[in-house]
Amino acid sequence: MPRATAAGSMLTLTPVLQKVISPPRWFEGADGRFHMKYELKLTNAAPVSLDVSSVEVRSGRGRHIDTLSGPRLAAAMTQLGEQAPTSTLNGSTVGIVWVDLTFPTRRSIPRAIEHRLTIDVGPGRGVGPMLTHVGGRAEVAHRPPMVLSPPLQGARWTAAISHHRRSIQTVNGRLRDGQRFAVDWNCLDAQGRTMSGPPDELASSPSYRAPVLAVRDAKVVQAVDGLPELIPGETFSGGLAQADGNHVILKLGPGTFAGYAHLVPGSVRVRAGDHVRRGQVLGLLGSSGNSSGPHLHFQLMNRPSLLDADGLPFVLRRFELQGDFGSVDALVEADATGATLAIDRSDAGPRRRVGLVGFPVVDLPRRGPR
C-alpha cells in the first residue's frame, strides 16, 4: 500500500517485479488479424507464496487492451522452467506470463505496452490483501515482419506452431526464446496420413528427404552435416551442440537469420560463406539431432543461433490454405496410429503475405531457383 514519506513522496510495496523479456513482436495472420507475442517475467521477491489476481495489458498511454484473470490467467502463466499452468508464485521464484494478443488492424497495435498487476498477498501481512502496481513497460517492435518464400514446396504440409511457444532457454547467461515463432513442417500423403509404413522406418514419412529451400537470397553463416539420424522412438543422447542435428543458418539481412534443423546426414549442399538464391536447395528434410521423426524445424531469429537468439515473426509470400488440423495432439495421434488426419476446411483459400496461425494445412508453391 502507498506510504507517505517525510518528504511527501509516495512509497509503494511491490513484492513482485515485472519485466518484459524482449520487445513484443507482431505479424498479420492468415485469419486477417494481427498477432502480437511476448513474455512478461514476474519475480516474487517475497519468501512467501503470492497469488496473481490479474494482469491488465495497457498501451503505453494507459489505454486498456486486455485483462488476464481467472482461468485465462492460469492458462497463460507458468513457473519458470515448468509447463504446468498456475496463477500462483511460490516464495522467491520467477513466473512467466505468455502474452498473446490480437488486434483488428495494424493501426490498433500500440507503440508501447505496460501492465497493471494485481496480487493477493493474503491476510495477516500488514498490507493488502490486494496490491496493485503498474510496470513492465516495453516498446513494441514496429518493423514489419520479413516476407519469405516457403522453405518447402508441394501439397499438404502441416505447420505445427504452438508447441514451440513456451520454449524459453537459459543460454549464455540470458533467458532466450528463439523458437517463439518457430514451425515444425510435416507432409501428409494423398490419404491425409503422416505415416504410410512401419513407424520405426524414416522412409514411412511422406516428408522424408523433401528438398529444403532457401527462403530468400542470403549468405550461409553456418552449415553442419554428418550427424546421425534418430529413429522414431529412440531417445536423443547428444549434447546441446547436437540438438539441432544437421542444420543450416542463413543471414537474410541485418539482425535477421533463418534456421533449418534436422536435415538428412550427407544432404547439406552449402557451406559457411556461400551465397544462395531464393528457392535454392540447401539439403533434405530428415530426423537428425533431437527429433521425434522426420520434419523440418524452421525459425527466424535475430542472431545466428537457434537457441541463443530472440525469435522473430515472418509472413509467407503466398500459399494455399487447405484447412486446420485442430491440435498438435491430433497430429501426434495420427502419427502414432497411421490414421487420416481430420481437417476443418471451412476457411480454406489462397493467402498472400500473411503468417501461419492455428494448426494449418497448406499447399506451398512449386518453384526452382531463379
Side-chain angles (χ1 to χ4, degrees):
M1 295 179 65
R3 302 290 187 186
T5 68
S9 61
M10 302 299 291
L11 296 179
T12 302
L13 181 66
T14 55
V16 176
L17 307 180
Q18 307 178 56
K19 183 178 180 180
V20 174
I21 292 176
S22 63
R25 303 180 189 277
W26 59 271
F27 68 96
E28 183 180 2
D31 57 357
R33 297 183 63 81
F34 289 77
H35 297 254
M36 188 167 78
K37 300 178 183 293
Y38 64 93
E39 298 79 45
L40 177 65
K41 183 175 72 170
L42 302 179
T43 301
N44 181 6
V48 297
S49 293
L50 303 173
D51 291 326
V52 181
S53 178
S54 66
V55 177
E56 180 192 5
V57 183
R58 311 195 306 189
S59 73
R61 296 182 175 182
R63 175 176 60 86
H64 171 81
I65 295 174
D66 193 11
T67 297
L68 297 172
S69 61
R72 282 190 68 211
L73 174 60
M77 180 175 160
T78 63
Q79 298 272 353
L80 180 62
E82 299 182 5
Q83 295 296 319
T86 183
S87 57
T88 298
L89 284 172
N90 294 332
S92 305
T93 60
V94 173
I96 302 292
V97 182
W98 308 88
V99 184
D100 296 275
L101 303 172
T102 59
F103 300 90
T105 65
R106 179 176 174 181
R107 291 187 64 183
S108 61
I109 299 173
R111 294 182 178 275
I113 50 93
E114 63 183 20
H115 305 83
R116 187 174 187 267
L117 176 70
T118 300
I119 59 172
D120 184 350
V121 301
R125 305 290 185 192
V127 295
M130 310 300 290
L131 296 177
T132 298
H133 177 245
V134 175
R137 184 182 175 89
E139 300 295 317
V140 174
H142 269 265
R143 187 177 70 172
M146 186 170 280
V147 180
L148 307 179
S149 291
L152 297 153
Q153 60 183 354
R156 301 180 301 276
W157 285 98
T158 65
I161 307 165
S162 63
H163 64 298
H164 291 300
R165 176 68 181 97
R166 302 185 178 188
S167 297
I168 279 184
Q169 306 287 336
T170 51
V171 184
N172 294 338
R174 297 188 63 178
L175 290 176
R176 293 290 200 182
D177 195 357
Q179 301 183 60
R180 183 179 295 109
F181 300 97
V183 178
D184 279 349
W185 295 93
N186 291 269
C187 193
L188 303 176
D189 66 11
Q191 286 72 48
R193 301 172 299 179
T194 64
M195 194 73 61
S196 57
D200 60 348
E201 293 184 10
L202 298 175
S204 297
S205 167
S207 310
Y208 190 55
R209 300 186 69 84
V212 172
L213 311 176
V215 292
R216 285 176 70 101
D217 296 352
K219 180 180 180 179
V220 180
V221 296
Q222 193 174 130
V224 173
D225 202 348
L227 296 174
E229 291 189 289
L230 198 67
I231 303 300
E234 292 183 346
T235 301
F236 176 69
S237 59
L240 189 64
Q242 297 181 346
D244 303 328
N246 304 308
H247 64 275
V248 173
I249 296 179
L250 303 180
K251 183 175 183 179
L252 308 184
T256 307
F257 300 83
Y260 305 72
H262 310 308
L263 305 180
V264 171
S267 75
V268 178
R269 302 186 186 183
V270 295
R271 297 180 180 180
D274 288 352
H275 290 268
V276 296
R277 305 286 281 178
R278 177 165 60 97
Q280 182 174 331
V281 176
L282 305 176
L284 302 179
L285 182 152
S287 186
S288 57
N290 188 11
S291 173
S292 58
H295 72 282
L296 174 67
H297 175 99
F298 177 83
Q299 68 183 58
L300 225 58
M301 59 260 183
N302 68 343
R303 289 167 50 85
S305 169
L306 280 89
L307 290 180
D308 188 13
D310 190 30
L312 304 178
F314 60 90
V315 298
L316 295 179
R317 196 175 303 275
R318 64 185 179 93
F319 60 91
E320 187 81 19
L321 179 63
Q322 293 298 326
D324 190 289
F325 60 86
S327 70
V328 171
D329 288 343
L331 188 66
V332 171
E333 182 177 357
D335 206 38
T337 63
T340 296
L341 186 65
I343 300 172
D344 177 1
R345 302 184 184 274
S346 60
D347 198 31
R351 299 292 195 275
R352 289 183 179 272
R353 293 178 175 261
V354 294
L356 302 165
V357 295
F359 305 92
V361 180
V362 299
D363 291 351
L364 303 176
R366 294 188 177 276
R367 56 160 293 131
R370 290 185 299 175

